[in-house]
Amino acid sequence: MSRVYPFDDAATARAVIGEDGTLTEWNEGARRLLGHPADEVVGRPAAFLLAGDVARRAPVGARWDGTLELRHRDGRTIPVWLLAHHNAARDEKPAHWLVVSPLREGGPHTPEDPLATAALTQSPCAIAVYDEQLRLRRVNDAMAEVIGLPEGRIRGLRITEIGGKPESADLERSMLRVLASGRPLDVQTYMRTGGEDRAHAWLARMAPITDATGRVRGVSLAAHDFTENYLARQRLQLVNAASVRIGSTLDVTRTAQELADVCVPALADLVTVDLLDPPENGGDHPVRLTAPVTLRRTAHQSVLPGVPEAVLKPGQTEVYPARSPQADSLTAGRTVAVSVASGELDQFLTSNRLRGERVREFGVHASMSVPIQARGTTLGVAVFRRHRRLDPFGPDDMLLAEEITARAAVCIDNARRYSRERETALALQRSLLPRTLPSTAALQAASRYLPAARAGVGGDWFDVIPLSGLRVAMVVGDVVGHGVQASATMGRLRTAVRTLADIDLAPDELLTHLDDLVLRLSAEQGGEGSPGEVGATCLYAVYDPVTRRCTLARAGHPPPVLLRPGHRPHQLDLPAGPPLGLGGLPFESAEVTLDEGTVLALFTDGLITSRHRDPDTGRRLLHEALAAYSDSLDETCDRILHALLPSGGAADDVALLLARTRGLPAERVASWDIPADPALVAPIRKQVVERLDMWNLSMAAFTAELVVSELVTNAIRYGAHPIRLRLIHDATTLICEVSDASHTAPHLRRAKTWDEGGRGLLLVAQLTQRWGTRHTAEGKTIWAELSLHEDDVLP
């Protein structure tokens, strides 16, 4: 059954005029206004109703209003206010004008008329009226309910006296501005009124109240509750802040602290983040745990300076028993919200006297524990508490806390995985890099390696490799990329460099072989039909203390810096060479003579390259730090790192190798040209013994004589002229070298029982500390080293 609305159609004068000006409709209200019945006017032009000199044209626009002189049926002229609406053609109805005018019948409303006061007292909007002294005059029922007091009790009080809160004073100052300026003002506030059990967000719309003369006589205040919109906006802002602020680094502690900082005070007055320690054998914790649970305080934050409510300090651990919010949350795998008033925390608080005292002292009344879980792994728990905010945690608060904690959990898990991979890579890196640098007669060396602060461990490496003839090789390299893969690749390249160095390849030849290895590594790491992307740079140098000459070659690596005694540091000019892994491009060597005491600085580009400066500035700083070298290579290494690297660490790996050259005095080297006659080997042995007597090495004379005899005899028999013998003596080693023009290398073989020969090199291998062959541009050199320690020399 349809409802009949109590509408009186005759209470409004209404007419419809077509586009041609003809009246098409005329209602009873129009008849009551002008006296013309519908049958007399419908179909006639509307203009005949106009009296006086009025322009006979249709109004312009979609709406028109104004007062016109109209003709009454009895001949009178009546001024009538008209409102006209133009309606376009629609649903087969032509375009027309709807003209209406209200009919005012009956006297004015009496004060007792309920309709006269309903606008104020029965309005659902909370309204209050204040006079010129900003004292309350009227409130409606909705405002009285908000305040929590009837109008009769509070009439004549100021808003600061009614509310008694700091927010009330802010509202009164705004009302004073409206009173003084006569302009309306909107103010937003978040407060708890006397009639509410929790705080609400209010939009206070203030407007001046004026009398007939326009004088401001008071202020009206209409309060609109927009708490839901306010809280939704706050939650959105908090989630947005969490997505921006949480996870700014790959540091577990920093990420946990960011979680606590974001949620205070927006969601809670105190936030603690407790994490599980990683398992000792690696791996992850299960999603669900069993009580008791041991957690470590990682971060916390409070609205009070110094977080006085917290019982634990960051870094401390505590065992949480069953029936504690932390353990219950982790064992259940869900959020647990409890209140102190409900008694749910009594058992937990009595088990820890200090915690119970803190809860009572600061008035903690609500607690919410949210498990920190990511990728099927439980990481810990975040606990949110309230003591300044009086309202408890609601369902929306729980959803918000879970969403923010879930975001933080992924960041914490990423940071923990990164830390684990970084530790693995660091351990691998340490195992692959030299623990100590060898002590050699050719040079003194010091080194530093620093992994990248954020990008992780990379593939930078350095090495010092003793070679035959007291020579020494220095190498610094850099594998592109970071992580375990880069460290593993670095280890393979370092091993390859040591292997190639053992066969005494020239620097340019060594880099060529290393380039081939990088190409093979790229092919191994690539997928089907796509090559890998292994790349590296390298600098390789060989220094000979006898000749004081250094041969260097580089593959896309920064050139070294030299500091000669009494001079300023300068960059050594070397052919650049392509980076390793391009293949098919040549490498060139350069040779320089170094004075004794020259300092060489070999480094990777992470030392001089930075986001905050260009490489030229980095080189200048390196030169300045190296110029301050006095006598300690270790102190100089530290000075260089301090001058070039930021306090927070380098953006890329840094390897630094400093070497100070030494020269071998000429009196410690003796050489002879060997004639082609085997019969002259005996005089050569005699000259060797005499030289050893001069060096006070008579204890080694017998062994040295045998070794020289075998090496020289082999060179005469199987080598090519010219042949040369050289003895080199340092503090602990005697080196015998026999060079000839043949490129054929000798081989150690096992002689049969009745063979008359074939035992020479076997004898040399047994009598010496080590021996070997190196190829030169003129042929080859067979060398043997004898230890000068008394226990190592045959009687």
Side-chain angles (χ1 to χ4, degrees), residues 274 291-297 312 318-322 324 326-327 348 355:
D274 297 339
V293 182
T294 302
L295 298 171
R296 185 179 300 276
R297 176 62 48 83
L312 297 180
E318 183 168 353
V319 179
Y320 292 94
S324 64
Q326 292 86 343
F348 176 56
R355 178 174 282 107

Side-chain angles (χ1 to χ4, degrees), residues 22 28 136 148 191 281 304 319 344 367 376 386 453 490 516 598 619:
T22 302
E28 177 60 20
L136 183 67
M191 60 185 295
N281 57 350
L304 303 177
V319 179
E344 298 171 288
S367 176
R386 284 181 177 175
M490 176 274 291
D516 294 337
T598 298
R619 293 188 189 94

Side-chain angles (χ1 to χ4, degrees), residues 271-285:
V271 175
T272 61
V273 180
D274 297 339
L275 299 180
L276 294 159
D277 286 333
E280 295 181 359
N281 57 350
D284 298 318
H285 293 283

Side-chain angles (χ1 to χ4, degrees), residues 557-580:
H557 202 83
V561 174
L562 265 64
L563 174 62
R564 299 180 187 272
H567 294 77
R568 296 285 301 172
H570 70 279
Q571 180 176 293
L572 188 62
D573 187 16
L574 286 181
L580 300 173

Side-chain angles (χ1 to χ4, degrees), residues 497-759:
V497 170
R498 278 190 161 267
T499 303
L500 296 172
D502 281 344
I503 60 177
D504 268 314
L505 290 179
D508 53 342
E509 294 183 50
L510 183 143
L511 293 181
T512 299
H513 286 280
L514 205 60
D515 185 47
D516 294 337
L517 173 60
V518 173
L519 286 174
R520 289 196 297 273
L521 293 178
S522 296
E524 291 175 5
Q525 293 188 15
E528 296 183 2
S530 61
E533 297 182 356
V534 177
T537 64
C538 185
L539 171 65
Y540 185 77
V542 176
Y543 173 68
D544 188 344
V546 177
T547 62
R548 295 190 178 91
R549 300 188 70 80
C550 184
T551 307
L552 309 94
R554 63 187 180 114
H557 202 83
V561 174
L562 265 64
L563 174 62
R564 299 180 187 272
H567 294 77
R568 296 285 301 172
H570 70 279
Q571 180 176 293
L572 188 62
D573 187 16
L574 286 181
L580 300 173
L582 297 183
L585 298 176
F587 299 95
E588 299 181 50
S589 295
E591 192 175 70
V592 294
T593 301
L594 302 179
D595 299 330
E596 185 172 0
T598 298
V599 177
L600 292 89
L602 288 73
F603 51 89
T604 54
D605 59 2
L607 181 66
I608 60 174
T609 303
S610 169
R611 295 190 301 268
H612 308 293
R613 64 166 182 262
D614 58 273
D616 291 338
T617 303
R619 293 188 189 94
R620 178 180 57 79
L621 294 174
L622 172 61
H623 290 182
E624 292 174 357
L626 188 60
Y629 166 79
S630 56
D631 193 40
S632 172
L633 292 177
D634 283 310
E635 291 180 2
T636 305
C637 282
D638 294 336
R639 185 185 304 112
I640 290 174
L641 295 182
H642 179 74
L644 275 82
L645 301 183
S647 57
D652 195 5
D653 283 29
V654 173
L656 172 64
L657 177 63
L658 295 185
R660 181 174 55 210
T661 62
R662 295 168 176 163
L664 196 67
E667 58 270 17
R668 292 197 175 188
V669 180
S671 61
W672 297 269
D673 291 326
I674 306 300
D677 187 357
L680 298 179
V681 173
I684 295 297
R685 292 202 305 267
K686 182 179 180 182
Q687 295 179 35
V688 168
V689 172
E690 291 174 351
R691 178 51 63 97
L692 294 180
D693 288 339
M694 292 176 57
W695 288 343
N696 296 319
L697 299 177
S698 301
M699 294 183 299
F702 178 74
T703 305
E705 186 178 1
L706 288 177
V707 171
V708 168
S709 177
E710 291 296 333
L711 295 182
V712 170
T713 300
N714 281 344
I716 293 175
R717 288 181 177 178
Y718 307 111
H721 288 79
I723 301 173
R724 189 170 184 81
L725 168 65
R726 187 172 71 164
L727 297 181
I728 304 173
H729 159 50
D730 75 339
T732 60
T733 308
L734 176 65
I735 301 173
C736 303
E737 294 183 346
V738 177
S739 303
D740 68 86
S742 172
H743 292 278
T744 303
H747 297 282
L748 184 67
R749 65 185 181 90
R750 184 176 298 277
K752 296 180 181 179
T753 304
W754 305 108
D755 286 349
E756 296 182 359
R759 297 178 176 84

Side-chain angles (χ1 to χ4, degrees), residues 6-305:
F7 293 153
D8 181 6
D9 187 62
T12 301
R14 184 172 64 250
V16 176
I17 304 174
E19 288 284 78
D20 59 355
T22 302
L23 283 164
T24 60
E25 292 184 20
W26 188 264
N27 77 335
E28 177 60 20
R31 187 200 64 77
R32 291 166 59 185
L33 177 65
L34 297 180
H36 301 281
D39 56 357
E40 292 183 2
V41 295
V42 172
R44 298 182 62 183
F48 87 94
L49 296 173
L50 298 177
D53 186 14
V54 180
R56 305 298 178 93
R57 60 185 179 85
V60 178
R63 194 183 80 172
W64 176 90
D65 69 278
T67 301
L68 295 178
E69 298 287 336
L70 300 182
R71 300 178 186 275
H72 194 275
R73 190 183 185 202
D74 61 9
R76 290 180 294 127
T77 299
I78 303 174
V80 179
W81 180 84
L82 300 176
L83 176 62
H85 302 277
H86 183 266
N87 294 316
R90 184 177 181 183
D91 298 333
E92 300 182 358
K93 189 173 184 178
H96 61 277
W97 284 89
L98 172 63
V99 183
V100 297
S101 181
L103 298 181
R104 298 180 177 87
E105 293 184 354
H109 295 292
T110 64
E112 293 77 15
D113 187 352
L115 297 180
T117 59
L120 175 65
T121 59
Q122 299 181 26
S123 171
C125 178
I127 300 174
V129 177
Y130 292 83
D131 61 17
E132 292 177 283
Q133 303 300 318
L134 294 183
R135 295 192 175 275
L136 183 67
R137 279 293 190 89
R138 293 292 307 275
V139 295
N140 67 351
D141 296 341
M143 181 63 82
E145 183 179 355
V146 169
I147 296 175
L149 294 170
E151 181 186 79
R153 296 292 186 183
I154 58 177
R155 188 183 298 116
L157 297 179
R158 290 166 50 193
I159 191 171
T160 53
E161 298 167 338
I162 298 172
K165 295 181 175 62
E167 295 85 357
S168 303
D170 295 336
L171 290 173
E172 187 173 72
R173 282 191 290 269
S174 299
M175 292 169 62
L176 185 60
R177 290 172 55 190
V178 174
L179 195 65
S181 65
R183 291 192 296 270
L185 182 65
D186 290 348
V187 177
Q188 293 185 9
T189 185
Y190 188 81
M191 60 185 295
R192 179 183 178 185
T193 65
E196 299 179 309
D197 59 354
R198 57 176 298 178
H200 283 70
W202 296 98
L203 171 62
R205 313 204 74 167
M206 306 173 187
I209 299 176
T210 60
D211 57 16
T213 64
R215 176 186 171 187
V216 178
R217 302 298 299 272
V219 177
S220 68
L221 186 152
H224 304 273
D225 185 352
F226 70 108
T227 304
E228 292 302 322
N229 291 338
Y230 174 82
L231 293 179
R233 185 167 65 248
Q234 291 294 101
R235 289 191 288 267
L236 183 60
Q237 291 175 351
L238 185 56
V239 170
N240 181 65
S243 64
V244 173
R245 294 172 56 186
I246 298 177
S248 61
T249 65
L250 286 172
D251 181 81
V252 173
T253 302
R254 178 74 176 274
T255 304
Q257 188 63 52
E258 290 168 344
L259 168 60
D261 293 344
V262 163
C263 295
V264 174
L267 183 58
D269 300 321
L270 170 66
V271 175
T272 61
V273 180
D274 297 339
L275 299 180
L276 294 159
D277 286 333
E280 295 181 359
N281 57 350
D284 298 318
H285 293 283
V287 178
R288 299 289 178 86
L289 303 174
T290 57
V293 182
T294 302
L295 298 171
R296 185 179 300 276
R297 176 62 48 83
T298 307
H300 56 207
Q301 185 56 276
S302 169
V303 293
L304 303 177

